[in-house]
Amino acid sequence: MYVCICNAVTDKQIRRAVHNGCDSMRELRMELGVAACCGKCAPDARALLLDSKREQMTASPGNYISLIPA
């Protein structure tokens, strides 16, 4: 599905970019051009970014978020 119509960016491209190391909206914008024109795609792109990062965290058993201060 197209997320960014201005730059023809799909949800698969965003997920792949996150898998390859994009970790923020700024990095997605630099890599794919997401939210660089009209910005209407930003909320959906951000949701995909967070969802993809969450999937990576649950897929990798060694990765976890510590809620206890060090």
Side-chain angles (χ1 to χ4, degrees):
M1 155 182 88
Y2 282 98
V3 175
C4 178
I5 300 300
C6 296
N7 292 307
V9 178
T10 66
D11 60 326
K12 290 180 183 180
Q13 288 174 293
I14 292 173
R15 290 184 187 279
R16 189 176 313 118
V18 173
H19 177 74
N20 290 332
C22 283
D23 197 36
S24 67
M25 282 299 292
R26 176 178 287 157
E27 291 176 4
L28 282 178
R29 188 176 308 111
M30 290 172 51
E31 181 77 21
L32 301 172
V34 173
C37 290
C38 75
K40 290 184 179 185
C41 63
D44 291 329
R46 184 174 287 109
L48 275 167
L49 170 71
L50 295 174
D51 187 48
S52 297
K53 288 171 63 173
R54 194 174 303 117
E55 286 174 4
Q56 282 185 336
M57 294 295 288
T58 58
S60 301
N63 292 336
Y64 62 91
I65 299 172
S66 176
L67 299 177
I68 302 170

